[in-house]
Amino acid sequence: MGENGTMAYTPNGERYGTMKYNTCGRSGLKLPAVSLGLWHNFGGRDVYENGRTLVRHAFDLGITHFDLANNYGPPPGSAEESFGRMLRDDFSAYRDEMVISTKAGYYMWPGPYGDRGSKKYLVSSLDQSLKRMGLDYVDIFYHHRPDADTPLEETMGALDLIVRQGKALYVGLSNYNAEQARAASAILKSLGTPCLIHQPRYSMFARQPEERLLGVLEEEGIGSIAYSPLAKGMLTDRYLHGIPADSRAAGQSVFLKPEELTDEVMGKVRKLNEIALQRGQKLSQMAVAWVLRGGRVTSALIGASKTSQIDDAVQALAQSDFSREELGRIDAILQS
């Protein structure tokens, strides 16, 4: 029994047999093709045991990478606290089998040092994150968004310092555009701490990274992890027949509003769903496979409130190839 009266956790012994692992950029680190993000459903206002079940289930399926940020919750910081409790309850023996990432870049505390990209903020924020999770280091530390008010040399110098302090093994960027990513990468290379990974929003409904960013990442040897590959749940079969009462769009979520589900969007969703069914997949599975197509993206970062959603994403890897004709049909729908 665990210290809180629940059964002690023993991971699935076959967990590495089915997951696909992709090398992240020009590094020795491999990431699972599907990673679990703790942006929603793991905060202080959520049920701890549900989040714990999700993380255990993901690990049992070979998902080794767990993605957090200082502000994940709600309230901010509470996702890291909950995850720290899970590490103590279930994963203390398995820390070296896990890739744990966190970020800083958005508002965290009052005053001039609790936001953006200064060395003061980034170093302080990571120290707080490590305390919340009960860790000596994270595997990946990201600057969460670019900050025009701080010299890029200072922000990248802070990431380099954090690695040299032993508080992170690798560093990454999130939400940087192609030019910003190239400039940041050049500074990090000159400091001797190359950028490992970039985390952009990328899905069939958010294709901006294709324009230039993915090309820059390939040239620079930087891996990528796509967040929101299901476009906040729009690229699923959830809303095909209206808005279910228990869905994110029906609730108080600030992330998916009913007015986003326009007739035009839903028309595209229905056509994409038809292609997915012809492929023998759910739409959500095709959406995950699509961001990973051609090997340009290292990992698809999913969120989950139910174990079945994790199962769906992992099962997408069994049918991940697309014919040229399928890709053409998908492009035609998205551009219509």
Short mmCIF file of all heavy atoms in Angstrom, two decimals, residues 170-212:
data_model
loop_
_atom_site.label_atom_id
_atom_site.label_comp_id
_atom_site.label_asym_id
_atom_site.label_seq_id
_atom_site.Cartn_x
_atom_site.Cartn_y
_atom_site.Cartn_z
N TYR A 170 18.51 20.28 -20.49
CA TYR A 170 18.35 20.85 -21.83
C TYR A 170 17.46 22.08 -21.73
O TYR A 170 16.72 22.25 -20.76
CB TYR A 170 17.66 19.87 -22.78
CG TYR A 170 18.33 18.53 -22.95
CD1 TYR A 170 17.97 17.45 -22.16
CD2 TYR A 170 19.30 18.32 -23.95
CE1 TYR A 170 18.55 16.19 -22.33
CE2 TYR A 170 19.89 17.08 -24.13
CZ TYR A 170 19.51 16.01 -23.32
OH TYR A 170 20.08 14.78 -23.50
N VAL A 171 17.51 22.92 -22.78
CA VAL A 171 16.64 24.09 -22.82
C VAL A 171 15.87 24.14 -24.13
O VAL A 171 16.28 23.57 -25.14
CB VAL A 171 17.42 25.42 -22.61
CG1 VAL A 171 18.03 25.45 -21.21
CG2 VAL A 171 18.48 25.62 -23.68
N GLY A 172 14.72 24.84 -24.06
CA GLY A 172 13.86 24.95 -25.23
C GLY A 172 13.18 26.30 -25.29
O GLY A 172 13.29 27.14 -24.38
N LEU A 173 12.48 26.50 -26.40
CA LEU A 173 11.73 27.72 -26.66
C LEU A 173 10.29 27.34 -26.98
O LEU A 173 10.04 26.27 -27.54
CB LEU A 173 12.29 28.47 -27.88
CG LEU A 173 13.80 28.73 -27.92
CD1 LEU A 173 14.20 29.22 -29.30
CD2 LEU A 173 14.18 29.75 -26.85
N SER A 174 9.35 28.23 -26.64
CA SER A 174 7.96 28.01 -27.02
C SER A 174 7.39 29.32 -27.54
O SER A 174 7.71 30.40 -27.01
CB SER A 174 7.15 27.52 -25.83
OG SER A 174 5.82 27.22 -26.21
N ASN A 175 6.58 29.22 -28.59
CA ASN A 175 5.86 30.37 -29.15
C ASN A 175 6.77 31.41 -29.82
O ASN A 175 6.32 32.52 -30.11
CB ASN A 175 5.00 31.05 -28.07
CG ASN A 175 3.94 30.12 -27.52
OD1 ASN A 175 3.18 29.52 -28.28
ND2 ASN A 175 3.89 29.96 -26.20
N TYR A 176 8.04 31.08 -30.07
CA TYR A 176 8.93 31.97 -30.83
C TYR A 176 8.64 31.79 -32.32
O TYR A 176 8.44 30.66 -32.78
CB TYR A 176 10.39 31.59 -30.57
CG TYR A 176 11.03 32.16 -29.32
CD1 TYR A 176 10.47 31.97 -28.06
CD2 TYR A 176 12.22 32.88 -29.41
CE1 TYR A 176 11.08 32.48 -26.91
CE2 TYR A 176 12.84 33.39 -28.27
CZ TYR A 176 12.25 33.18 -27.02
OH TYR A 176 12.87 33.69 -25.90
N ASN A 177 8.64 32.89 -33.08
CA ASN A 177 8.48 32.74 -34.53
C ASN A 177 9.82 32.32 -35.16
O ASN A 177 10.83 32.16 -34.46
CB ASN A 177 7.91 34.01 -35.16
CG ASN A 177 8.86 35.20 -35.11
OD1 ASN A 177 10.08 35.04 -35.07
ND2 ASN A 177 8.30 36.41 -35.13
N ALA A 178 9.82 32.13 -36.47
CA ALA A 178 11.01 31.59 -37.14
C ALA A 178 12.24 32.46 -36.93
O ALA A 178 13.32 31.96 -36.61
CB ALA A 178 10.71 31.43 -38.64
N GLU A 179 12.09 33.78 -37.10
CA GLU A 179 13.24 34.68 -36.96
C GLU A 179 13.75 34.69 -35.52
O GLU A 179 14.96 34.67 -35.27
CB GLU A 179 12.86 36.11 -37.37
CG GLU A 179 12.61 36.29 -38.85
CD GLU A 179 11.30 35.67 -39.33
OE1 GLU A 179 10.36 35.53 -38.50
OE2 GLU A 179 11.23 35.29 -40.51
N GLN A 180 12.84 34.76 -34.56
CA GLN A 180 13.22 34.75 -33.15
C GLN A 180 13.92 33.45 -32.78
O GLN A 180 14.92 33.46 -32.04
CB GLN A 180 11.98 34.95 -32.27
CG GLN A 180 11.34 36.33 -32.39
CD GLN A 180 9.92 36.35 -31.86
OE1 GLN A 180 9.22 35.33 -31.84
NE2 GLN A 180 9.47 37.52 -31.42
N ALA A 181 13.41 32.34 -33.30
CA ALA A 181 14.00 31.04 -32.98
C ALA A 181 15.41 30.93 -33.55
O ALA A 181 16.32 30.42 -32.90
CB ALA A 181 13.12 29.91 -33.52
N ARG A 182 15.60 31.45 -34.77
CA ARG A 182 16.93 31.39 -35.38
C ARG A 182 17.93 32.23 -34.59
O ARG A 182 19.06 31.78 -34.31
CB ARG A 182 16.88 31.86 -36.83
CG ARG A 182 18.13 31.50 -37.62
CD ARG A 182 18.17 32.17 -38.98
NE ARG A 182 17.19 31.70 -39.92
CZ ARG A 182 17.31 30.58 -40.64
NH1 ARG A 182 18.36 29.79 -40.47
NH2 ARG A 182 16.39 30.23 -41.51
N ALA A 183 17.50 33.42 -34.19
CA ALA A 183 18.39 34.31 -33.42
C ALA A 183 18.71 33.70 -32.05
O ALA A 183 19.87 33.72 -31.60
CB ALA A 183 17.74 35.68 -33.26
N ALA A 184 17.70 33.14 -31.39
CA ALA A 184 17.91 32.52 -30.08
C ALA A 184 18.85 31.33 -30.19
O ALA A 184 19.74 31.13 -29.35
CB ALA A 184 16.58 32.10 -29.48
N SER A 185 18.66 30.53 -31.24
CA SER A 185 19.50 29.35 -31.43
C SER A 185 20.96 29.74 -31.63
O SER A 185 21.87 29.09 -31.07
CB SER A 185 19.00 28.56 -32.65
OG SER A 185 19.84 27.47 -32.92
N ALA A 186 21.21 30.81 -32.38
CA ALA A 186 22.59 31.25 -32.63
C ALA A 186 23.26 31.65 -31.31
O ALA A 186 24.42 31.30 -31.06
CB ALA A 186 22.60 32.41 -33.61
N ILE A 187 22.53 32.36 -30.45
CA ILE A 187 23.10 32.78 -29.17
C ILE A 187 23.39 31.56 -28.29
O ILE A 187 24.47 31.43 -27.70
CB ILE A 187 22.16 33.76 -28.44
CG1 ILE A 187 22.01 35.06 -29.24
CG2 ILE A 187 22.67 34.05 -27.03
CD1 ILE A 187 20.88 35.95 -28.78
N LEU A 188 22.43 30.64 -28.22
CA LEU A 188 22.61 29.45 -27.38
C LEU A 188 23.80 28.61 -27.87
O LEU A 188 24.59 28.11 -27.05
CB LEU A 188 21.33 28.62 -27.34
CG LEU A 188 20.21 29.19 -26.47
CD1 LEU A 188 18.90 28.45 -26.72
CD2 LEU A 188 20.58 29.14 -24.99
N LYS A 189 23.93 28.48 -29.18
CA LYS A 189 25.08 27.72 -29.72
C LYS A 189 26.39 28.39 -29.32
O LYS A 189 27.36 27.72 -28.94
CB LYS A 189 24.99 27.64 -31.25
CG LYS A 189 24.11 26.50 -31.75
CD LYS A 189 24.15 26.42 -33.26
CE LYS A 189 23.15 25.37 -33.74
NZ LYS A 189 22.86 25.54 -35.16
N SER A 190 26.43 29.72 -29.40
CA SER A 190 27.67 30.44 -29.07
C SER A 190 28.02 30.28 -27.59
O SER A 190 29.19 30.32 -27.21
CB SER A 190 27.53 31.92 -29.42
OG SER A 190 26.69 32.59 -28.50
N LEU A 191 27.01 30.08 -26.75
CA LEU A 191 27.23 29.91 -25.31
C LEU A 191 27.59 28.46 -24.96
O LEU A 191 28.03 28.19 -23.85
CB LEU A 191 25.97 30.31 -24.54
CG LEU A 191 25.60 31.80 -24.58
CD1 LEU A 191 24.21 32.03 -23.99
CD2 LEU A 191 26.64 32.64 -23.85
N GLY A 192 27.36 27.54 -25.91
CA GLY A 192 27.69 26.14 -25.65
C GLY A 192 26.55 25.33 -25.07
O GLY A 192 26.74 24.20 -24.61
N THR A 193 25.34 25.89 -25.07
CA THR A 193 24.14 25.17 -24.62
C THR A 193 23.12 25.22 -25.75
O THR A 193 22.27 26.10 -25.78
CB THR A 193 23.56 25.82 -23.34
OG1 THR A 193 24.53 25.79 -22.31
CG2 THR A 193 22.32 25.07 -22.85
N PRO A 194 23.21 24.32 -26.72
CA PRO A 194 22.31 24.42 -27.88
C PRO A 194 20.85 24.24 -27.49
O PRO A 194 20.53 23.60 -26.49
CB PRO A 194 22.79 23.29 -28.79
CG PRO A 194 23.53 22.34 -27.90
CD PRO A 194 24.12 23.17 -26.81
N CYS A 195 19.99 24.84 -28.29
CA CYS A 195 18.54 24.69 -28.08
C CYS A 195 18.14 23.27 -28.49
O CYS A 195 18.41 22.83 -29.60
CB CYS A 195 17.78 25.72 -28.92
SG CYS A 195 16.00 25.63 -28.69
N LEU A 196 17.48 22.56 -27.58
CA LEU A 196 17.06 21.19 -27.85
C LEU A 196 15.77 21.12 -28.64
O LEU A 196 15.63 20.29 -29.55
CB LEU A 196 16.85 20.45 -26.51
CG LEU A 196 16.24 19.05 -26.64
CD1 LEU A 196 17.31 18.03 -26.99
CD2 LEU A 196 15.50 18.64 -25.38
N ILE A 197 14.81 22.00 -28.30
CA ILE A 197 13.43 21.76 -28.73
C ILE A 197 12.66 23.06 -28.79
O ILE A 197 12.97 24.03 -28.09
CB ILE A 197 12.75 20.76 -27.75
CG1 ILE A 197 11.43 20.22 -28.29
CG2 ILE A 197 12.57 21.38 -26.35
CD1 ILE A 197 10.91 19.01 -27.53
N HIS A 198 11.67 23.09 -29.66
CA HIS A 198 10.75 24.23 -29.79
C HIS A 198 9.34 23.68 -29.67
O HIS A 198 9.03 22.63 -30.24
CB HIS A 198 10.96 24.90 -31.14
CG HIS A 198 10.18 26.18 -31.32
ND1 HIS A 198 8.81 26.21 -31.38
CD2 HIS A 198 10.59 27.47 -31.44
CE1 HIS A 198 8.41 27.46 -31.55
NE2 HIS A 198 9.46 28.25 -31.58
N GLN A 199 8.48 24.40 -28.94
CA GLN A 199 7.09 23.96 -28.75
C GLN A 199 6.14 24.99 -29.37
O GLN A 199 5.83 25.99 -28.75
CB GLN A 199 6.79 23.76 -27.27
CG GLN A 199 5.43 23.17 -27.02
CD GLN A 199 5.19 22.82 -25.55
OE1 GLN A 199 4.14 23.14 -25.01
NE2 GLN A 199 6.13 22.17 -24.90
N PRO A 200 5.69 24.75 -30.61
CA PRO A 200 4.73 25.65 -31.23
C PRO A 200 3.31 25.08 -31.15
O PRO A 200 3.10 23.87 -31.02
CB PRO A 200 5.18 25.67 -32.70
CG PRO A 200 5.68 24.27 -32.93
CD PRO A 200 6.22 23.77 -31.59
N ARG A 201 2.32 25.96 -31.27
CA ARG A 201 0.95 25.51 -31.51
C ARG A 201 0.88 25.03 -32.96
O ARG A 201 1.23 25.77 -33.88
CB ARG A 201 -0.04 26.67 -31.29
CG ARG A 201 -1.50 26.27 -31.52
CD ARG A 201 -2.40 27.49 -31.54
NE ARG A 201 -2.45 28.17 -30.26
CZ ARG A 201 -3.28 27.84 -29.27
NH1 ARG A 201 -4.11 26.83 -29.40
NH2 ARG A 201 -3.25 28.53 -28.14
N TYR A 202 0.44 23.82 -33.17
CA TYR A 202 0.43 23.26 -34.53
C TYR A 202 -0.66 22.21 -34.65
O TYR A 202 -0.73 21.28 -33.83
CB TYR A 202 1.80 22.64 -34.85
CG TYR A 202 1.94 22.07 -36.25
CD1 TYR A 202 1.46 22.77 -37.36
CD2 TYR A 202 2.57 20.85 -36.46
CE1 TYR A 202 1.61 22.27 -38.65
CE2 TYR A 202 2.71 20.33 -37.75
CZ TYR A 202 2.23 21.04 -38.83
OH TYR A 202 2.37 20.53 -40.10
N SER A 203 -1.51 22.38 -35.64
CA SER A 203 -2.56 21.41 -35.92
C SER A 203 -3.06 21.65 -37.34
O SER A 203 -2.62 22.59 -38.01
CB SER A 203 -3.73 21.57 -34.94
OG SER A 203 -4.46 22.77 -35.22
N MET A 204 -3.99 20.84 -37.79
CA MET A 204 -4.59 21.06 -39.11
C MET A 204 -5.26 22.43 -39.19
O MET A 204 -5.38 22.99 -40.28
CB MET A 204 -5.60 19.95 -39.41
CG MET A 204 -4.94 18.63 -39.72
SD MET A 204 -6.04 17.41 -40.46
CE MET A 204 -6.64 16.58 -39.01
N PHE A 205 -5.68 22.98 -38.05
CA PHE A 205 -6.31 24.29 -38.03
C PHE A 205 -5.34 25.41 -37.65
O PHE A 205 -5.73 26.56 -37.56
CB PHE A 205 -7.49 24.30 -37.05
CG PHE A 205 -8.72 23.60 -37.57
CD1 PHE A 205 -9.78 23.31 -36.72
CD2 PHE A 205 -8.84 23.22 -38.90
CE1 PHE A 205 -10.92 22.67 -37.18
CE2 PHE A 205 -9.97 22.57 -39.38
CZ PHE A 205 -11.02 22.30 -38.51
N ALA A 206 -4.07 25.07 -37.42
CA ALA A 206 -3.05 26.09 -37.06
C ALA A 206 -1.75 25.68 -37.73
O ALA A 206 -0.88 25.06 -37.12
CB ALA A 206 -2.89 26.19 -35.55
N ARG A 207 -1.61 26.05 -39.00
CA ARG A 207 -0.51 25.55 -39.82
C ARG A 207 0.64 26.54 -39.99
O ARG A 207 1.56 26.30 -40.78
CB ARG A 207 -1.05 25.14 -41.21
CG ARG A 207 -2.09 24.04 -41.13
CD ARG A 207 -2.56 23.58 -42.49
NE ARG A 207 -1.53 22.86 -43.22
CZ ARG A 207 -1.73 22.25 -44.39
NH1 ARG A 207 -2.93 22.28 -44.96
NH2 ARG A 207 -0.74 21.63 -44.99
N GLN A 208 0.64 27.62 -39.22
CA GLN A 208 1.67 28.64 -39.40
C GLN A 208 3.10 28.10 -39.29
O GLN A 208 3.99 28.57 -40.02
CB GLN A 208 1.48 29.77 -38.37
CG GLN A 208 0.20 30.58 -38.53
CD GLN A 208 -1.02 29.93 -37.87
OE1 GLN A 208 -0.97 28.79 -37.42
NE2 GLN A 208 -2.11 30.66 -37.83
N PRO A 209 3.38 27.11 -38.40
CA PRO A 209 4.77 26.61 -38.32
C PRO A 209 5.30 26.08 -39.64
O PRO A 209 6.52 26.07 -39.86
CB PRO A 209 4.68 25.50 -37.27
CG PRO A 209 3.57 25.93 -36.38
CD PRO A 209 2.55 26.54 -37.31
N GLU A 210 4.41 25.64 -40.55
CA GLU A 210 4.86 25.10 -41.84
C GLU A 210 5.49 26.19 -42.71
O GLU A 210 6.31 25.89 -43.58
CB GLU A 210 3.69 24.48 -42.59
CG GLU A 210 3.12 23.25 -41.91
CD GLU A 210 1.87 22.75 -42.62
OE1 GLU A 210 1.54 23.27 -43.71
OE2 GLU A 210 1.22 21.85 -42.08
N GLU A 211 5.09 27.44 -42.50
CA GLU A 211 5.51 28.51 -43.41
C GLU A 211 7.02 28.71 -43.35
O GLU A 211 7.67 28.78 -44.38
CB GLU A 211 4.76 29.80 -43.07
CG GLU A 211 3.27 29.71 -43.41
CD GLU A 211 2.47 30.86 -42.82
OE1 GLU A 211 3.08 31.88 -42.41
OE2 GLU A 211 1.23 30.74 -42.77
N ARG A 212 7.58 28.79 -42.12
CA ARG A 212 9.03 28.98 -42.03
C ARG A 212 9.65 28.28 -40.82
O ARG A 212 10.78 27.87 -40.84
CB ARG A 212 9.37 30.49 -41.96
CG ARG A 212 8.75 31.23 -43.11
CD ARG A 212 9.56 32.30 -43.78
NE ARG A 212 10.88 32.59 -43.38
CZ ARG A 212 11.24 33.69 -42.71
NH1 ARG A 212 10.35 34.58 -42.35
NH2 ARG A 212 12.49 33.90 -42.42
#
